[in-house]
Amino acid sequence: MTGSVSRPRIGIIGTGAIGGYYGVMLARAGFDVHFLLRSEFAAVAEGGLHIDSAVHGPLHLSAVQAYSQAADMPPCDWLLVGAKTTSNASLAPLIAQAAAPGAKVLVLQNGLEVEDELRTLLPDSLHLLGGLCFICVHRAGPGAIVHQALGAVNIGYHSGPLQHDAAARQALVEEGAGLFQRAGIESQAMANLQQARWQKLVWNVPYNGLSVLLRASTTPLMSDDNSRELVQALMAEVVRGAQACGHELPAGYAEHLFKVTEKMPDYWPSMYHDFLHKRALELDAVYVRPLAAARAAGCELPKIQALYQALAFIDANNR
Ligand SMILES: NC(=O)C1=CN([C@@H]2O[C@H](COP(=O)(O)OP(=O)(O)OC[C@H]3O[C@@H](n4cnc5c(N)ncnc54)[C@H](OP(=O)(O)O)[C@@H]3O)[C@@H](O)[C@H]2O)C=CC1
Ligand SMILES: CC(C)(CO)C(=O)C(=O)O
């Protein structure tokens, strides 16, 4: 038995900052949420999930339906993937194990083409969607998540049984956005997932990489003339790359994100946390694939290329 249409069963594949935050919000809204964990399983099964949120105050989900094996999870109607892109290939069998027939798999990750590898490894009967999270969250300890700001999730359809039925595809994406909206989270259905992914890269390409390269969070990056100029130049290259690939981003989008960042609390992007904890950096998703896509469209992005080369060196020497 899966959940009902009005109360679908939701599985979280990878309960870190993103998976934990959205999973807790959905559970608090009354959804039947099941959490797959790895290193933090024992701590969460015993003590629950704690969110220290600057927006909602302290939140505690005490009775967490926690699993250390996907095979033990009940069949889920929606699966939210909250692990890093660097582990996608190894996640595919876990997703398939936890999926109800015809389930919707929503990949809550940054980067370009992150669904492509998963698609080849998942059954054709599963819908694959991408979700772009505009949020500042990080893990502070086992089962402990800090939510500093924002929270919206924009969703688009990638592939699956509805690939050739635009109206049904749109309805499914709206159903996904509706889950988040019912949990008080802003969520929009995006008509074009690839464009939405390029749009998100306008933020992640400069700030994720520069935080690692310069060991600097957003406040110092936004307080220095040289780093401000570099952020703007990198943003402009992402916009150019997107354009070369056929995605005209909304006018003034880079300027808008630059201003949003000036108003954000001081923030260390998720790539910096990976660097700090000696985990693999999401370089393929955030740099390699956008660079390759732009190059294939005849567009070189030299500043992003240089940033990537420096990060690849740092990543190789950090593990
Ligand atoms: N943090 C943020 O503010 C934002 C993050 N993003 C994107 O969201 C994605 C997730 O990032 P984030 O939440 O920060 O990452 P985290 O490192 O906090 O969380 C990843 C989680 O996945 C778990 N995991 C990985 N592999 C498995 C597995 N095989 N079985 C079970 N659990 C597994 C990890 O467990 P373990 O502890 O064992 O490693 C960890 O709990 C990334 O693509 C990131 O770029 C997007 C927007 C904002
Ligand atoms: C841009 C930001 C900080 C929130 O909008 C984010 O989503 C990220 O860290 O990837």
Side-chain angles (χ1 to χ4, degrees):
M1 264 287 282
T2 59
S4 63
V5 177
S6 64
R7 192 171 175 264
R9 184 183 287 143
I10 299 173
I12 306 291
I13 303 293
T15 308
I18 288 285
Y21 175 78
Y22 290 113
V24 167
M25 292 298 284
L26 289 160
R28 286 170 57 86
F31 289 103
D32 179 23
V33 186
H34 299 259
F35 297 82
L36 180 68
L37 292 113
R38 195 168 53 181
S39 63
E40 299 186 356
F41 169 73
V44 171
E46 199 181 309
L49 282 163
H50 295 261
I51 300 178
D52 174 10
S53 171
V55 178
H56 312 288
L59 306 176
H60 181 210
L61 186 67
S62 51
V64 175
Q65 306 190 93
Y67 304 82
S68 60
Q69 304 288 332
D72 296 337
M73 294 173 77
C76 295
D77 305 297
W78 281 86
L79 286 159
L80 275 43
V81 181
K84 289 273 157 55
T85 52
T86 44
S87 52
N88 276 0
S90 61
L91 291 178
L94 311 185
I95 294 171
Q97 276 178 323
K104 282 76 76 173
V105 179
L106 173 60
V107 182
L108 296 178
Q109 297 174 334
N110 282 322
L112 199 65
E113 298 164 9
V114 298
E115 297 85 3
D116 292 6
E117 188 181 24
L118 272 178
R119 179 73 275 171
T120 62
L121 301 168
L122 288 177
D124 293 344
S125 57
L126 299 187
H127 300 276
L128 191 54
L129 298 91
L132 285 312
C133 305
F134 292 82
I135 188 165
C136 302
V137 276
H138 65 272
R139 285 189 279 170
I145 295 161
V146 176
H147 173 218
Q148 286 181 267
L150 308 174
V153 183
N154 290 344
I155 301 176
Y157 196 83
H158 177 269
S159 56
L162 300 178
Q163 206 151 341
H164 304 296
D165 183 342
R169 219 169 50 212
Q170 178 69 10
L172 190 79
V173 173
E174 278 166 16
E175 185 187 320
L179 302 179
F180 290 95
Q181 289 160 3
R182 281 157 67 188
I185 295 162
E186 234 177 90
S187 185
Q188 275 181 33
M190 303 296 280
N192 185 332
L193 177 62
Q194 296 318 314
Q195 164 138 349
R197 289 206 162 280
W198 271 107
Q199 225 165 285
K200 183 76 203 295
L201 285 168
V202 175
W203 198 92
N204 293 117
V205 164
Y207 292 104
N208 285 27
L210 291 179
S211 71
V212 173
L213 185 64
L214 304 179
R215 314 285 198 268
S217 52
T218 51
T219 298
L221 287 175
M222 298 307 281
S223 309
D224 177 273
D225 286 344
N226 282 307
S227 50
R228 284 171 71 88
E229 213 171 283
L230 188 49
V231 166
Q232 284 169 319
L234 288 162
M235 283 182 164
E237 282 198 356
V238 180
V239 172
R240 215 153 49 72
Q243 204 167 31
C245 294
H247 305 295
E248 200 63 51
L249 303 193
Y253 189 71
E255 294 74 12
H256 161 72
L257 283 189
F258 195 76
K259 284 195 189 118
V260 166
T261 312
E262 281 183 316
K263 291 196 202 106
M264 256 165 49
D266 189 28
Y267 176 62
W268 289 99
S270 57
M271 191 170 279
Y272 183 79
H273 292 278
D274 288 335
F275 166 73
L276 197 63
H277 295 284
K278 299 194 178 297
R279 296 189 289 253
L281 305 184
E282 294 184 295
L283 297 183
D284 280 356
V286 178
Y287 297 97
V288 175
R289 291 186 208 130
L291 281 165
R295 183 167 302 134
C299 175
E300 293 296 327
L301 305 172
K303 286 196 159 60
I304 299 178
Q305 175 70 24
L307 176 56
Y308 162 67
Q309 286 170 314
L311 291 167
F313 177 89
I314 291 172
D315 187 39
N317 287 281
N318 191 41
R319 285 181 284 138

